[in-house]
Amino acid sequence: MSYTIKTDSLSKRFGDIQSVDNITIDVEQSEVYGFLGSNGAGKSTTMKMLTTLLRPTSGSARVAGYDIATQQSSVREHIGFVQQESAIDEYLTGRENLILQARLSRLEPAVAERRIDELMETTGLADRQHDATVTYSGGMKKRLDIASGLLHRPTILFLDEPTVGLDIQTRHRIWEHIHTMHKEYDMTVFISTHYMEEADMLCDRICIIDQGKVKAVGRPSQMKENLEQEVINMRSDNAVLLSDNISSIDGVQDIRRTNDTLQIHVSDGPQTIPIIFQKAQSLNIQIQSVSMTGPTLDDVYISYTGHQIREQGPEPRRKRRW
Amino acid sequence: MRKFATDTYAIFWREMMRYRKSKSGVLIRLIQPAVWIVVIGHTFSGTKPLIQAAGFDGEYIEFMAPGVIVLTAIFTSIFGGVNTLWDRRYGFMNKALVSPIFRSSLALGKMLAIAIVATLQASLIIAISLIIGVSFIDYAMIIPIMAIVTLFSLGFSGVSVIVAATAKSQEAFWGIINFLGMPLFMISPALFPLELMPDWLSSLAQINPATYTILLIREMMTGVESGIPVSLSLGVLGVFVGAIILVAGWTFTRDVSRPF
């Protein structure tokens, strides 16, 4: 198996804060690899090290076969990086932005022209390419950003939180777009995200990262299966009382309540449901509806990190120089 | 070497595209030096005997016109690096840093664009001074004067870009730039001959690259010898600009991607 990214105990320290702590991962060629974690988990810092924007404090990594510390320019020739915030020049038109990117990537002008035409078509921006990008919507800007990342046909495309700040509809369109681009150009895609759904929809494999450490790596479907968990959704007329009385039942792992509905995480659903019904009957609780689902990636995340994705402050900054 | 040139041109092109789209700024930035030359030029016209005593035979406004040309160049170029701050905040810097271009190209491309804009501004000031009656001994001198203004601006755009690339905050940038800008102009023979300054001030002025530029341009405009050989002035300017280019190039190879 050939790896396009391989890290060995990669670490980054900012003062007293260990932002990235001994991360060792392998990303296979042509796969979509998701880096899943909350804000401040160390995703961006790791990505900055892999894209040569930051030097690691210790450990090493090879990207596209080149060492990120000693062969930076070779690494840069082989990667595309789409940042979380749009990096397009709003004063320039869509096309001018891609011309700029082509120059930054040292593409031959003729090759650049051809690829820009092609990308304008695939991104659906062809008819707006001569408008200043300040008039573009959030989704259009993102597609243009992704197009700039693809212009020089990188071996690896890094996408840092590609759908942050976009509405649900646009988010779905960007996912489709990433999916199409991946099929079309067959590069490795490394995505960082804190959206479970995004990781689940897009990624072949995900890596759960929390407080700078790798907690788990695997295929989303496999990880869900490995949980050996089923979720019973139960609506009743006294959810609080029911919740208090079923937590001791064998196989019940976790109970979460939203209004009158309980989400009961159990190891064996079909066996547990009758027991819950009995309990409810003895307490005179009316059960109004019941359904059973598999676990979500959310559940996988919680089981590995012990908490839900939470919002945290920004990553620590470096010491003031002035 | 060819790659270095095309990389630098890529950045230069981008900066010029941005200037092209913000033309209104050109006129706004012209107001201040225009006020200087018109108001101060006439307010101080009574100092003619003083200026003559220091060896300058002409009107005060002819004495100070080169000073205002350099003033325009100083301020346009030293403030010119401010978009590097935006680049650091809004992602262009990171985008350029993960691309294979030379990092020193990033600095030089920006500096060249700022220097060209500063020269354009200065040429508008030359036009204004011609309109209000300043005369040149030889109008063909305008071309080499512009070349000197470009070279000079290249140096100070470098100072600006270096500060913008390393400043920890916007406030730090403006603080440092304002701290540098005014003294550069005041501690020079822009408004007043060095000969009439107290010794300590005129010694300070002698380490200011603006001093040599002003003396050079004044000599080219009026034909009155400044007392400092042209070769020395050009040498000082050349060394200054060369050193700044090296420092700016080096600054950008360091960690300039930090947010602030």
Side-chain angles (χ1 to χ4, degrees), chain B residues 191-237:
Chain B
L191 300 177
F192 214 58
L194 284 184
E195 292 82 352
L196 301 181
M197 286 183 182
D199 280 349
W200 64 275
L201 261 182
S202 84
S203 324
L204 266 183
Q206 274 165 26
I207 54 166
N208 179 1
T211 298
Y212 298 90
T213 313
I214 292 166
L215 293 178
L216 197 58
I217 295 178
R218 185 174 289 145
E219 190 169 330
M220 291 163 85
M221 274 175 74
T222 61
V224 180
E225 276 185 31
S226 64
I228 288 179
V230 171
S231 56
L232 175 65
S233 292
L234 277 176
V236 169
L237 195 55

mmCIF file of all heavy atoms in Angstrom, chain B residues 191-237:
data_model
loop_
_atom_site.group_PDB
_atom_site.id
_atom_site.type_symbol
_atom_site.label_atom_id
_atom_site.label_comp_id
_atom_site.label_asym_id
_atom_site.label_seq_id
_atom_site.Cartn_x
_atom_site.Cartn_y
_atom_site.Cartn_z
ATOM 1 N N LEU B 191 12.347 70.819 4.081
ATOM 2 C CA LEU B 191 11.719 72.127 4.251
ATOM 3 C C LEU B 191 12.729 73.219 4.576
ATOM 4 O O LEU B 191 12.444 74.403 4.420
ATOM 5 C CB LEU B 191 10.685 72.065 5.382
ATOM 6 C CG LEU B 191 9.536 71.076 5.190
ATOM 7 C CD1 LEU B 191 8.642 71.074 6.413
ATOM 8 C CD2 LEU B 191 8.731 71.418 3.942
ATOM 9 N N PHE B 192 13.904 72.812 5.053
ATOM 10 C CA PHE B 192 14.845 73.767 5.608
ATOM 11 C C PHE B 192 16.265 73.284 5.333
ATOM 12 O O PHE B 192 16.537 72.093 5.451
ATOM 13 C CB PHE B 192 14.585 73.834 7.131
ATOM 14 C CG PHE B 192 14.799 75.174 7.722
ATOM 15 C CD1 PHE B 192 14.072 76.271 7.248
ATOM 16 C CD2 PHE B 192 15.714 75.352 8.750
ATOM 17 C CE1 PHE B 192 14.274 77.516 7.804
ATOM 18 C CE2 PHE B 192 15.907 76.599 9.306
ATOM 19 C CZ PHE B 192 15.179 77.689 8.832
ATOM 20 N N PRO B 193 17.177 74.185 4.983
ATOM 21 C CA PRO B 193 18.528 73.714 4.661
ATOM 22 C C PRO B 193 19.227 73.111 5.878
ATOM 23 O O PRO B 193 19.050 73.599 7.001
ATOM 24 C CB PRO B 193 19.255 74.978 4.204
ATOM 25 C CG PRO B 193 18.254 76.064 4.153
ATOM 26 C CD PRO B 193 17.016 75.625 4.822
ATOM 27 N N LEU B 194 20.009 72.076 5.619
ATOM 28 C CA LEU B 194 20.775 71.433 6.693
ATOM 29 C C LEU B 194 21.672 72.439 7.404
ATOM 30 O O LEU B 194 21.869 72.359 8.615
ATOM 31 C CB LEU B 194 21.669 70.336 6.105
ATOM 32 C CG LEU B 194 21.024 69.019 5.682
ATOM 33 C CD1 LEU B 194 22.114 68.054 5.222
ATOM 34 C CD2 LEU B 194 20.229 68.417 6.829
ATOM 35 N N GLU B 195 22.228 73.386 6.613
ATOM 36 C CA GLU B 195 23.189 74.337 7.151
ATOM 37 C C GLU B 195 22.595 75.177 8.272
ATOM 38 O O GLU B 195 23.317 75.692 9.131
ATOM 39 C CB GLU B 195 23.694 75.281 6.042
ATOM 40 C CG GLU B 195 24.550 74.602 4.983
ATOM 41 C CD GLU B 195 23.738 73.890 3.907
ATOM 42 O OE1 GLU B 195 22.498 73.776 4.052
ATOM 43 O OE2 GLU B 195 24.341 73.427 2.923
ATOM 44 N N LEU B 196 21.269 75.336 8.258
ATOM 45 C CA LEU B 196 20.637 76.185 9.271
ATOM 46 C C LEU B 196 20.124 75.397 10.471
ATOM 47 O O LEU B 196 19.566 75.949 11.396
ATOM 48 C CB LEU B 196 19.484 76.988 8.642
ATOM 49 C CG LEU B 196 19.878 77.914 7.485
ATOM 50 C CD1 LEU B 196 18.665 78.661 6.969
ATOM 51 C CD2 LEU B 196 20.959 78.892 7.931
ATOM 52 N N MET B 197 20.296 74.072 10.413
ATOM 53 C CA MET B 197 19.817 73.248 11.536
ATOM 54 C C MET B 197 20.877 73.235 12.630
ATOM 55 O O MET B 197 22.067 73.395 12.348
ATOM 56 C CB MET B 197 19.610 71.810 11.070
ATOM 57 C CG MET B 197 18.397 71.608 10.200
ATOM 58 S SD MET B 197 18.288 69.847 9.823
ATOM 59 C CE MET B 197 16.864 69.843 8.777
ATOM 60 N N PRO B 198 20.446 72.987 13.890
ATOM 61 C CA PRO B 198 21.443 72.763 14.933
ATOM 62 C C PRO B 198 22.284 71.533 14.571
ATOM 63 O O PRO B 198 21.809 70.648 13.861
ATOM 64 C CB PRO B 198 20.614 72.484 16.195
ATOM 65 C CG PRO B 198 19.186 72.590 15.802
ATOM 66 C CD PRO B 198 19.076 72.907 14.365
ATOM 67 N N ASP B 199 23.505 71.501 15.068
ATOM 68 C CA ASP B 199 24.419 70.422 14.687
ATOM 69 C C ASP B 199 23.873 69.026 14.907
ATOM 70 O O ASP B 199 23.995 68.160 14.055
ATOM 71 C CB ASP B 199 25.741 70.564 15.483
ATOM 72 C CG ASP B 199 26.629 71.615 14.842
ATOM 73 O OD1 ASP B 199 26.290 72.031 13.705
ATOM 74 O OD2 ASP B 199 27.623 72.019 15.467
ATOM 75 N N TRP B 200 23.252 68.821 16.069
ATOM 76 C CA TRP B 200 22.810 67.456 16.383
ATOM 77 C C TRP B 200 21.727 67.007 15.400
ATOM 78 O O TRP B 200 21.686 65.848 14.993
ATOM 79 C CB TRP B 200 22.319 67.350 17.832
ATOM 80 C CG TRP B 200 21.087 68.169 18.160
ATOM 81 C CD1 TRP B 200 21.049 69.469 18.525
ATOM 82 C CD2 TRP B 200 19.731 67.723 18.128
ATOM 83 N NE1 TRP B 200 19.769 69.876 18.744
ATOM 84 C CE2 TRP B 200 18.938 68.822 18.516
ATOM 85 C CE3 TRP B 200 19.119 66.502 17.848
ATOM 86 C CZ2 TRP B 200 17.542 68.734 18.605
ATOM 87 C CZ3 TRP B 200 17.733 66.411 17.943
ATOM 88 C CH2 TRP B 200 16.963 67.536 18.311
ATOM 89 N N LEU B 201 20.866 67.949 14.985
ATOM 90 C CA LEU B 201 19.819 67.593 14.037
ATOM 91 C C LEU B 201 20.402 67.324 12.653
ATOM 92 O O LEU B 201 20.013 66.373 11.980
ATOM 93 C CB LEU B 201 18.779 68.719 13.937
ATOM 94 C CG LEU B 201 17.500 68.530 14.745
ATOM 95 C CD1 LEU B 201 16.558 69.702 14.502
ATOM 96 C CD2 LEU B 201 16.812 67.222 14.389
ATOM 97 N N SER B 202 21.368 68.150 12.261
ATOM 98 C CA SER B 202 21.916 67.938 10.929
ATOM 99 C C SER B 202 22.759 66.667 10.883
ATOM 100 O O SER B 202 22.836 66.009 9.846
ATOM 101 C CB SER B 202 22.683 69.162 10.425
ATOM 102 O OG SER B 202 23.993 69.152 10.907
ATOM 103 N N SER B 203 23.350 66.268 12.044
ATOM 104 C CA SER B 203 24.057 64.976 12.052
ATOM 105 C C SER B 203 23.058 63.838 11.911
ATOM 106 O O SER B 203 23.306 62.852 11.211
ATOM 107 C CB SER B 203 24.844 64.755 13.341
ATOM 108 O OG SER B 203 25.372 65.949 13.793
ATOM 109 N N LEU B 204 21.932 63.978 12.600
ATOM 110 C CA LEU B 204 20.885 62.959 12.479
ATOM 111 C C LEU B 204 20.413 62.853 11.027
ATOM 112 O O LEU B 204 20.233 61.764 10.481
ATOM 113 C CB LEU B 204 19.689 63.321 13.358
ATOM 114 C CG LEU B 204 19.630 62.737 14.766
ATOM 115 C CD1 LEU B 204 18.334 63.156 15.457
ATOM 116 C CD2 LEU B 204 19.721 61.214 14.727
ATOM 117 N N ALA B 205 20.249 64.040 10.412
ATOM 118 C CA ALA B 205 19.753 64.068 9.043
ATOM 119 C C ALA B 205 20.704 63.345 8.097
ATOM 120 O O ALA B 205 20.292 62.814 7.072
ATOM 121 C CB ALA B 205 19.547 65.504 8.588
ATOM 122 N N GLN B 206 22.002 63.334 8.494
ATOM 123 C CA GLN B 206 22.969 62.699 7.589
ATOM 124 C C GLN B 206 22.905 61.179 7.577
ATOM 125 O O GLN B 206 23.530 60.538 6.735
ATOM 126 C CB GLN B 206 24.369 63.191 7.922
ATOM 127 C CG GLN B 206 24.628 64.508 7.179
ATOM 128 C CD GLN B 206 25.816 65.265 7.699
ATOM 129 O OE1 GLN B 206 26.734 64.667 8.255
ATOM 130 N NE2 GLN B 206 25.807 66.573 7.524
ATOM 131 N N ILE B 207 22.164 60.591 8.542
ATOM 132 C CA ILE B 207 21.984 59.137 8.454
ATOM 133 C C ILE B 207 20.619 58.798 7.865
ATOM 134 O O ILE B 207 20.205 57.647 7.829
ATOM 135 C CB ILE B 207 22.163 58.431 9.825
ATOM 136 C CG1 ILE B 207 21.247 59.060 10.869
ATOM 137 C CG2 ILE B 207 23.617 58.470 10.269
ATOM 138 C CD1 ILE B 207 21.104 58.226 12.128
ATOM 139 N N ASN B 208 19.933 59.817 7.370
ATOM 140 C CA ASN B 208 18.602 59.603 6.792
ATOM 141 C C ASN B 208 18.709 59.499 5.264
ATOM 142 O O ASN B 208 19.126 60.448 4.610
ATOM 143 C CB ASN B 208 17.721 60.796 7.193
ATOM 144 C CG ASN B 208 16.312 60.696 6.641
ATOM 145 O OD1 ASN B 208 15.978 59.728 5.964
ATOM 146 N ND2 ASN B 208 15.504 61.696 6.930
ATOM 147 N N PRO B 209 18.329 58.369 4.695
ATOM 148 C CA PRO B 209 18.438 58.227 3.233
ATOM 149 C C PRO B 209 17.618 59.276 2.486
ATOM 150 O O PRO B 209 17.969 59.641 1.359
ATOM 151 C CB PRO B 209 17.868 56.833 2.954
ATOM 152 C CG PRO B 209 17.823 56.133 4.259
ATOM 153 C CD PRO B 209 17.786 57.160 5.336
ATOM 154 N N ALA B 210 16.549 59.785 3.128
ATOM 155 C CA ALA B 210 15.731 60.802 2.470
ATOM 156 C C ALA B 210 16.548 62.069 2.209
ATOM 157 O O ALA B 210 16.356 62.743 1.201
ATOM 158 C CB ALA B 210 14.511 61.128 3.331
ATOM 159 N N THR B 211 17.487 62.382 3.125
ATOM 160 C CA THR B 211 18.335 63.556 2.966
ATOM 161 C C THR B 211 19.057 63.535 1.617
ATOM 162 O O THR B 211 19.024 64.500 0.863
ATOM 163 C CB THR B 211 19.382 63.595 4.107
ATOM 164 O OG1 THR B 211 18.685 63.696 5.340
ATOM 165 C CG2 THR B 211 20.338 64.770 3.951
ATOM 166 N N TYR B 212 19.697 62.397 1.332
ATOM 167 C CA TYR B 212 20.488 62.300 0.096
ATOM 168 C C TYR B 212 19.589 62.368 -1.132
ATOM 169 O O TYR B 212 19.949 62.939 -2.157
ATOM 170 C CB TYR B 212 21.310 61.000 0.119
ATOM 171 C CG TYR B 212 22.273 61.007 1.278
ATOM 172 C CD1 TYR B 212 21.903 60.502 2.526
ATOM 173 C CD2 TYR B 212 23.531 61.594 1.151
ATOM 174 C CE1 TYR B 212 22.760 60.554 3.601
ATOM 175 C CE2 TYR B 212 24.399 61.655 2.225
ATOM 176 C CZ TYR B 212 24.013 61.136 3.459
ATOM 177 O OH TYR B 212 24.869 61.218 4.521
ATOM 178 N N THR B 213 18.421 61.770 -1.019
ATOM 179 C CA THR B 213 17.494 61.773 -2.142
ATOM 180 C C THR B 213 17.007 63.192 -2.430
ATOM 181 O O THR B 213 16.953 63.613 -3.582
ATOM 182 C CB THR B 213 16.294 60.859 -1.823
ATOM 183 O OG1 THR B 213 16.802 59.632 -1.301
ATOM 184 C CG2 THR B 213 15.478 60.570 -3.058
ATOM 185 N N ILE B 214 16.675 63.910 -1.365
ATOM 186 C CA ILE B 214 16.188 65.285 -1.539
ATOM 187 C C ILE B 214 17.280 66.162 -2.150
ATOM 188 O O ILE B 214 17.043 66.902 -3.116
ATOM 189 C CB ILE B 214 15.708 65.864 -0.184
ATOM 190 C CG1 ILE B 214 14.452 65.130 0.277
ATOM 191 C CG2 ILE B 214 15.449 67.369 -0.297
ATOM 192 C CD1 ILE B 214 14.088 65.370 1.732
ATOM 193 N N LEU B 215 18.508 66.051 -1.623
ATOM 194 C CA LEU B 215 19.609 66.864 -2.144
ATOM 195 C C LEU B 215 19.862 66.563 -3.619
ATOM 196 O O LEU B 215 20.084 67.465 -4.424
ATOM 197 C CB LEU B 215 20.885 66.630 -1.322
ATOM 198 C CG LEU B 215 20.826 67.128 0.126
ATOM 199 C CD1 LEU B 215 22.126 66.801 0.872
ATOM 200 C CD2 LEU B 215 20.576 68.639 0.174
ATOM 201 N N LEU B 216 19.781 65.275 -3.938
ATOM 202 C CA LEU B 216 20.011 64.844 -5.310
ATOM 203 C C LEU B 216 18.949 65.433 -6.241
ATOM 204 O O LEU B 216 19.256 66.009 -7.287
ATOM 205 C CB LEU B 216 19.957 63.307 -5.337
ATOM 206 C CG LEU B 216 20.549 62.583 -6.532
ATOM 207 C CD1 LEU B 216 22.010 62.952 -6.690
ATOM 208 C CD2 LEU B 216 20.435 61.066 -6.306
ATOM 209 N N ILE B 217 17.696 65.283 -5.850
ATOM 210 C CA ILE B 217 16.608 65.757 -6.703
ATOM 211 C C ILE B 217 16.629 67.284 -6.809
ATOM 212 O O ILE B 217 16.418 67.854 -7.875
ATOM 213 C CB ILE B 217 15.243 65.258 -6.176
ATOM 214 C CG1 ILE B 217 15.187 63.729 -6.283
ATOM 215 C CG2 ILE B 217 14.084 65.878 -6.955
ATOM 216 C CD1 ILE B 217 13.912 63.103 -5.759
ATOM 217 N N ARG B 218 16.962 67.942 -5.688
ATOM 218 C CA ARG B 218 17.003 69.405 -5.707
ATOM 219 C C ARG B 218 18.080 69.908 -6.679
ATOM 220 O O ARG B 218 17.858 70.849 -7.441
ATOM 221 C CB ARG B 218 17.254 69.950 -4.298
ATOM 222 C CG ARG B 218 17.182 71.466 -4.222
ATOM 223 C CD ARG B 218 17.281 71.937 -2.789
ATOM 224 N NE ARG B 218 16.086 71.619 -2.026
ATOM 225 C CZ ARG B 218 16.096 71.281 -0.741
ATOM 226 N NH1 ARG B 218 17.228 71.205 -0.074
ATOM 227 N NH2 ARG B 218 14.964 71.022 -0.131
ATOM 228 N N GLU B 219 19.200 69.217 -6.649
ATOM 229 C CA GLU B 219 20.284 69.611 -7.545
ATOM 230 C C GLU B 219 19.878 69.392 -9.006
ATOM 231 O O GLU B 219 20.181 70.198 -9.883
ATOM 232 C CB GLU B 219 21.545 68.815 -7.209
ATOM 233 C CG GLU B 219 22.783 69.333 -7.933
ATOM 234 C CD GLU B 219 24.079 68.715 -7.413
ATOM 235 O OE1 GLU B 219 24.144 68.368 -6.206
ATOM 236 O OE2 GLU B 219 25.027 68.584 -8.209
ATOM 237 N N MET B 220 19.170 68.294 -9.251
ATOM 238 C CA MET B 220 18.742 67.996 -10.614
ATOM 239 C C MET B 220 17.678 68.975 -11.107
ATOM 240 O O MET B 220 17.607 69.308 -12.288
ATOM 241 C CB MET B 220 18.195 66.563 -10.695
ATOM 242 C CG MET B 220 19.286 65.507 -10.510
ATOM 243 S SD MET B 220 18.596 63.901 -10.127
ATOM 244 C CE MET B 220 18.258 63.298 -11.760
ATOM 245 N N MET B 221 16.838 69.431 -10.177
ATOM 246 C CA MET B 221 15.768 70.350 -10.580
ATOM 247 C C MET B 221 16.265 71.772 -10.788
ATOM 248 O O MET B 221 15.878 72.453 -11.737
ATOM 249 C CB MET B 221 14.657 70.371 -9.515
ATOM 250 C CG MET B 221 13.621 69.277 -9.701
ATOM 251 S SD MET B 221 12.432 69.259 -8.349
ATOM 252 C CE MET B 221 11.449 70.702 -8.741
ATOM 253 N N THR B 222 17.131 72.229 -9.848
ATOM 254 C CA THR B 222 17.488 73.650 -9.851
ATOM 255 C C THR B 222 18.883 73.918 -10.379
ATOM 256 O O THR B 222 19.205 75.060 -10.719
ATOM 257 C CB THR B 222 17.412 74.211 -8.413
ATOM 258 O OG1 THR B 222 18.357 73.486 -7.608
ATOM 259 C CG2 THR B 222 16.028 74.065 -7.836
ATOM 260 N N GLY B 223 19.712 72.903 -10.406
ATOM 261 C CA GLY B 223 21.080 73.104 -10.858
ATOM 262 C C GLY B 223 21.990 73.670 -9.789
ATOM 263 O O GLY B 223 23.188 73.844 -10.022
ATOM 264 N N VAL B 224 21.431 73.961 -8.580
ATOM 265 C CA VAL B 224 22.265 74.498 -7.500
ATOM 266 C C VAL B 224 22.950 73.332 -6.799
ATOM 267 O O VAL B 224 22.288 72.399 -6.346
ATOM 268 C CB VAL B 224 21.414 75.285 -6.473
ATOM 269 C CG1 VAL B 224 22.304 75.829 -5.366
ATOM 270 C CG2 VAL B 224 20.655 76.393 -7.165
ATOM 271 N N GLU B 225 24.282 73.377 -6.707
ATOM 272 C CA GLU B 225 25.001 72.262 -6.098
ATOM 273 C C GLU B 225 24.675 72.141 -4.614
ATOM 274 O O GLU B 225 24.535 73.128 -3.910
ATOM 275 C CB GLU B 225 26.509 72.445 -6.299
ATOM 276 C CG GLU B 225 26.931 71.926 -7.667
ATOM 277 C CD GLU B 225 28.433 71.969 -7.849
ATOM 278 O OE1 GLU B 225 29.153 71.818 -6.833
ATOM 279 O OE2 GLU B 225 28.877 72.161 -8.991
ATOM 280 N N SER B 226 24.543 70.904 -4.151
ATOM 281 C CA SER B 226 24.086 70.685 -2.782
ATOM 282 C C SER B 226 25.241 70.595 -1.807
ATOM 283 O O SER B 226 25.044 70.612 -0.604
ATOM 284 C CB SER B 226 23.283 69.393 -2.716
ATOM 285 O OG SER B 226 24.131 68.306 -3.043
ATOM 286 N N GLY B 227 26.450 70.461 -2.303
ATOM 287 C CA GLY B 227 27.587 70.315 -1.404
ATOM 288 C C GLY B 227 27.921 68.854 -1.134
ATOM 289 O O GLY B 227 28.951 68.534 -0.578
ATOM 290 N N ILE B 228 27.030 67.953 -1.516
ATOM 291 C CA ILE B 228 27.321 66.523 -1.379
ATOM 292 C C ILE B 228 27.421 65.953 -2.791
ATOM 293 O O ILE B 228 26.529 66.176 -3.609
ATOM 294 C CB ILE B 228 26.218 65.813 -0.569
ATOM 295 C CG1 ILE B 228 26.335 66.228 0.904
ATOM 296 C CG2 ILE B 228 26.322 64.299 -0.693
ATOM 297 C CD1 ILE B 228 25.315 65.631 1.812
ATOM 298 N N PRO B 229 28.511 65.258 -3.093
ATOM 299 C CA PRO B 229 28.677 64.756 -4.459
ATOM 300 C C PRO B 229 27.537 63.813 -4.875
ATOM 301 O O PRO B 229 27.031 63.047 -4.046
ATOM 302 C CB PRO B 229 30.002 63.989 -4.419
ATOM 303 C CG PRO B 229 30.593 64.223 -3.087
ATOM 304 C CD PRO B 229 29.615 64.908 -2.206
ATOM 305 N N VAL B 230 27.154 63.894 -6.141
ATOM 306 C CA VAL B 230 26.077 63.055 -6.662
ATOM 307 C C VAL B 230 26.380 61.575 -6.455
ATOM 308 O O VAL B 230 25.519 60.796 -6.075
ATOM 309 C CB VAL B 230 25.867 63.352 -8.169
ATOM 310 C CG1 VAL B 230 24.906 62.340 -8.781
ATOM 311 C CG2 VAL B 230 25.342 64.765 -8.359
ATOM 312 N N SER B 231 27.672 61.227 -6.645
ATOM 313 C CA SER B 231 28.026 59.807 -6.520
ATOM 314 C C SER B 231 27.802 59.319 -5.093
ATOM 315 O O SER B 231 27.341 58.194 -4.875
ATOM 316 C CB SER B 231 29.481 59.592 -6.927
ATOM 317 O OG SER B 231 30.308 60.435 -6.152
ATOM 318 N N LEU B 232 28.085 60.177 -4.101
ATOM 319 C CA LEU B 232 27.879 59.778 -2.703
ATOM 320 C C LEU B 232 26.375 59.567 -2.454
ATOM 321 O O LEU B 232 25.969 58.550 -1.883
ATOM 322 C CB LEU B 232 28.434 60.834 -1.741
ATOM 323 C CG LEU B 232 28.155 60.551 -0.254
ATOM 324 C CD1 LEU B 232 28.876 59.273 0.189
ATOM 325 C CD2 LEU B 232 28.567 61.716 0.627
ATOM 326 N N SER B 233 25.564 60.522 -2.915
ATOM 327 C CA SER B 233 24.113 60.404 -2.718
ATOM 328 C C SER B 233 23.585 59.117 -3.349
ATOM 329 O O SER B 233 22.845 58.362 -2.723
ATOM 330 C CB SER B 233 23.392 61.592 -3.338
ATOM 331 O OG SER B 233 23.713 62.756 -2.614
ATOM 332 N N LEU B 234 23.992 58.876 -4.607
ATOM 333 C CA LEU B 234 23.525 57.662 -5.288
ATOM 334 C C LEU B 234 24.021 56.406 -4.574
ATOM 335 O O LEU B 234 23.285 55.434 -4.435
ATOM 336 C CB LEU B 234 24.021 57.658 -6.739
ATOM 337 C CG LEU B 234 23.181 58.465 -7.726
ATOM 338 C CD1 LEU B 234 23.848 58.454 -9.097
ATOM 339 C CD2 LEU B 234 21.760 57.901 -7.828
ATOM 340 N N GLY B 235 25.263 56.486 -4.083
ATOM 341 C CA GLY B 235 25.835 55.342 -3.374
ATOM 342 C C GLY B 235 25.052 55.030 -2.108
ATOM 343 O O GLY B 235 24.688 53.875 -1.854
ATOM 344 N N VAL B 236 24.765 56.061 -1.310
ATOM 345 C CA VAL B 236 24.020 55.868 -0.062
ATOM 346 C C VAL B 236 22.652 55.239 -0.376
ATOM 347 O O VAL B 236 22.233 54.266 0.244
ATOM 348 C CB VAL B 236 23.831 57.211 0.691
ATOM 349 C CG1 VAL B 236 22.832 57.044 1.837
ATOM 350 C CG2 VAL B 236 25.161 57.692 1.223
ATOM 351 N N LEU B 237 21.990 55.806 -1.382
ATOM 352 C CA LEU B 237 20.671 55.319 -1.756
ATOM 353 C C LEU B 237 20.733 53.861 -2.207
ATOM 354 O O LEU B 237 19.923 53.016 -1.796
ATOM 355 C CB LEU B 237 20.122 56.213 -2.883
ATOM 356 C CG LEU B 237 18.638 56.124 -3.186
ATOM 357 C CD1 LEU B 237 17.820 56.383 -1.933
ATOM 358 C CD2 LEU B 237 18.275 57.135 -4.274
#
